[in-house]
Amino acid sequence: MKPFTYVRARTLPHAVDLFADRDDAHFVAGGTNVTDLLKLGVLAASHLIDVTDALPREIETLPDGTTRIGAGVSNAVLAGHRAIRGRYPALAAALLAGASGQIRNAATVGGNLLQRTRCTYFQDVTRPCNKREPGTGCPALAGAHRDLSVIGGSGTCIATHPGDMAVALAMYDAEVEVLHTDGRTTRLPVGELHRLPGDRPDRDTVLAPGEIVTAVHLPDPGPHRSAYRKVRDRQSYAFALVSVAAAVTAGPDGSTVRLAFGSVAPRPWRAGTAEERLRGHALTDELVRAALDAEFAAATPLPGNAFKVEMAKAVGLATVRDLLAGRGENTPDQAHDVPGPAEHRHTPSAPAEGPEGAAG
Amino acid sequence: MPSETTTHLRLAINGQLREVDVDNRTTLLDLLREQLALTGTKKGCDHGQCGACTVLLDGERALSCLRLAVTLTDEEVTTIEGLCGPQGQLSALQVSFVAHDALQCGYCTPGQVCSAVGALREAGRGWPSRVTPGLAHDVDPDTLSRVEIAERLSGNLCRCGAYPRIVDAVRAVLRTGDTATPPTQAETETGEQSR
């Protein structure tokens, strides 16, 4: 690991100033990813700027029903917060499906959003990687790509965003608040924070150097039923092969479905095509299946991860089916179950994973 | 000597004030083991994947291998050594691990115990886990199921496969409310007799 200076920012403007005054600087908060990347040699910062004291750590329900989450809130505190559990259950579920208790205690909302891919080639400095060293190549394309993207990747990189939280945030139409180096604060949808790699896979997000994610804003979700499902090689403490955050909201014109997939793309994959196809229709298995086929029609899987396309569709369908049948987390103010086809009422739950037989 | 890339730290560790100069690259794990001779905390993977290095920071479980020592401020660090009483008496959870044979080689045990202390504290706040039915409601920490305990401790690997007995050991102390402080001699004897 390369030697580095360390300084603790007192405030957000202080953090911006510290960054501007230093070449080769990197922000750190919980450090669960940054520390590991420093050890691996993937990250070689000359200066670490600790923003732990500068980031807001409040979870506020605002008068208009929206929620503002400070970027310094830990994943554990966010998952445990009663208003989050009650009003955004798929977000709490996604957080609890991620990492371990120890890591959730340290990891922050901002850091979680900005975590790097866990592609093995990216983390192995003895191997080429276009994300780590642009122009060196991508061994994953012809190598170990089982965990990697099936949609949204490019010929230069098929790394995934590995997180769970961002998938639920994308489903809930969350926005991130960004502090720019000129002092302005702007907001952008979580779904637009992460870039598709194109020919610049080294740039994970649209953030410019020195910009800081300061908070996440969640709309008022209203009454809905939601779930977060995660398929992985072991039942706990593993990254997803495929995950889905889904919500069903009852309305006068039928149920509205929101869907976002995780670990299938370089960013949380909001299934806009599928949602559009389902809008205003009676939600049958056939229709949901066709909508998911349309969503993943643009998938370009490789031999080692083609299974993830069918897995994503299957988990998506099972999750929507369960939500329509009244299974999944219910928001407390939901007066009644979301209506669904009668034949779905008693179909067996098909969770991607369940509490049964957990390790230990 | 402090330089641009080293820092002088004043840390509260197991109730004692310790002053050290650290290279900024030093993790809390390496500081504990290499500079402070607190070798109870173990280095397993050194990448946050095994949990062997778990310690408590202000009572919250943390991976010391992923925490740069220089980032510590006023947090109280508690290691496995700090869970014992002044005469080395084991805490209730440690006694329970012994009583339930919750280990074979023992390498993961300090991390398992510290993680369990933190996990029970989290459950005491009513925090659910991934396997809790109904996220809107607080959990009852006194009635955590085996599945709940296993899920909450999933960040701690045991290559010997002592998981069922680790869960037994944690369940046994659920109702005592005493997971971090040393037991009385009588409690220790009771724990031994229950083997």
Side-chain angles (χ1 to χ4, degrees):
Chain A
M1 196 188 307
K2 175 179 161 184
F4 53 81
T5 71
Y6 172 83
V7 61
R8 211 167 168 99
R10 295 184 301 275
T11 62
L12 288 169
H14 187 213
V16 170
D17 289 345
L18 288 168
F19 192 94
D21 291 343
R22 289 163 172 78
D23 293 327
D24 197 18
H26 204 282
F27 292 123
V28 65
T32 58
N33 193 199
V34 167
T35 307
D36 199 34
L37 293 175
L38 287 168
K39 287 184 185 186
L40 293 168
V42 173
L43 178 64
S46 299
H47 309 280
L48 272 194
I49 300 169
D50 192 334
V51 292
T52 300
D53 298 337
L55 293 175
R57 276 187 262 187
E58 293 79 34
I59 302 169
E60 304 164 273
T61 302
L62 303 176
D64 62 357
T66 64
T67 300
R68 181 177 187 268
I69 302 164
V73 173
S74 74
N75 284 192
V77 166
L78 186 59
H81 195 271
R82 289 192 183 91
I84 298 298
R85 288 192 264 139
R87 298 183 69 218
Y88 307 94
L91 174 57
L95 286 159
L96 292 170
S100 66
Q102 292 95 315
I103 290 176
R104 291 192 294 271
N105 279 339
T108 61
V109 167
N112 187 307
L113 282 170
L114 300 177
Q115 66 179 301
R116 307 300 305 273
T117 185
R118 296 318 197 275
C119 173
T120 52
Y121 300 105
F122 173 73
Q123 297 185 101
D124 180 353
V125 296
T126 69
R127 305 297 300 272
C129 170
N130 285 327
K131 183 177 279 298
R132 183 166 27 79
E133 290 181 72
T136 57
C138 176
L141 293 169
H145 52 249
R146 176 173 176 267
D147 298 342
L148 303 181
S149 292
V150 293
I151 192 166
S154 74
T156 63
C157 181
I158 52 170
T160 50
H161 172 79
D164 298 289
M165 181 191 74
V167 181
L169 290 178
M171 187 276 286
Y172 278 123
D173 294 310
E175 293 185 329
V176 291
E177 183 181 293
V178 178
L179 176 64
H180 300 267
T181 53
D182 60 5
R184 284 179 307 121
T185 296
T186 59
R187 281 159 64 162
L188 80 158
V190 163
E192 295 175 16
L193 173 65
H194 299 92
R195 292 179 65 257
L196 297 182
D199 57 2
R200 288 298 306 273
D202 53 313
R203 295 185 58 205
D204 286 2
T205 71
V206 298
L207 298 184
E211 294 181 338
I212 302 173
V213 172
T214 53
V216 167
H217 292 259
L218 282 160
D220 184 345
H224 70 288
R225 186 178 294 281
S226 67
Y228 184 77
R229 294 272 174 78
K230 182 173 179 178
V231 187
R232 43 186 162 173
D233 286 332
R234 58 185 183 207
Q235 279 195 317
S236 188
Y237 201 23
F239 289 100
L241 287 167
V242 166
S243 69
V244 62
V248 174
T249 307
D253 301 322
S255 298
T256 301
V257 175
R258 284 178 282 174
L259 280 170
F261 290 89
S263 291
V264 297
R267 65 183 180 205
W269 194 261
R270 182 70 186 262
T273 300
E275 290 180 14
E276 189 57 39
R277 290 203 173 212
L278 296 174
R279 192 161 295 129
H281 294 283
L283 299 175
T284 63
D285 273 12
E286 291 69 29
L287 189 68
V288 175
R289 195 175 284 120
L292 290 167
D293 284 343
E295 183 65 49
F296 285 95
T300 53
L302 293 165
N305 65 6
F307 72 96
K308 288 177 64 167
V309 176
E310 294 310 312
M311 181 179 276
K313 291 182 196 173
V315 177
L317 173 61
T319 306
V320 172
R321 182 191 287 154
D322 280 356
L323 292 174
L324 291 171
R327 293 183 287 267
E329 295 291 338
N330 193 0
T331 47
D333 51 354
Q334 185 166 350
H336 50 78
D337 283 354
V338 175
E343 64 267 30
H344 291 149
R345 290 288 180 196
H346 302 293
T347 49
S349 177
E353 58 181 15
E356 300 82 8
Chain B
M1 288 294 106
S3 69
E4 283 195 336
T5 57
T6 62
T7 302
H8 183 74
L9 299 178
R10 289 164 53 90
L11 301 172
I13 300 178
N14 297 334
Q16 292 187 316
L17 180 66
R18 307 292 293 261
E19 296 201 37
V20 285
D21 292 327
V22 297
D23 185 307
N24 291 345
R25 296 172 290 184
T26 308
T27 61
L28 173 59
L29 172 60
D30 286 341
L31 171 66
L32 293 169
R33 291 184 55 85
E34 308 298 336
Q35 289 184 247
L36 300 178
L38 290 167
T39 54
T41 305
K42 303 304 184 202
K43 180 180 282 193
C45 68
D46 205 27
H47 288 282
Q49 297 172 4
C50 75
C53 68
T54 302
V55 298
L56 298 163
L57 300 178
D58 284 341
E60 310 286 346
R61 50 186 172 158
L63 297 177
S64 60
C65 79
L66 291 185
R67 185 69 187 259
L68 294 169
V70 70
T71 67
L72 292 164
T73 51
D74 53 358
E75 294 119 307
E76 166 78 32
V77 181
T78 305
T79 68
I80 191 71
E81 293 92 341
L83 293 183
C84 298
Q87 272 76 53
Q89 316 98 298
L90 300 181
S91 65
L93 202 47
Q94 289 168 298
V95 170
S96 192
F97 266 63
V98 173
H100 290 86
D101 278 335
L103 60 144
Q104 288 184 40
C105 82
Y107 195 80
C108 73
T109 309
Q112 299 277 5
V113 171
C114 287
S115 184
V117 170
L120 295 181
R121 181 178 163 127
E122 292 157 15
R125 294 192 186 114
W127 287 1
S129 80
R130 183 186 64 83
V131 299
T132 305
L135 295 178
H137 305 291
D138 286 1
V139 295
D140 177 356
D142 294 337
T143 58
L144 289 182
S145 66
R146 297 185 63 83
V147 171
E148 276 276 2
I149 293 168
E151 165 59 23
R152 288 165 190 267
L153 295 182
S154 71
N156 292 79
L157 305 188
C158 172
R159 289 292 302 272
C160 302
Y163 297 112
R165 294 184 178 210
I166 292 170
V167 174
D168 288 342
V170 175
R171 282 198 94 186
V173 300
L174 277 180
R175 293 177 188 281
T176 69
D178 176 23
T179 56
T181 55
T184 63
Q185 186 60 36
E187 286 170 336
T188 304
E189 288 170 0
T190 304
E192 289 296 322
Q193 287 165 358
S194 71
R195 295 184 70 170

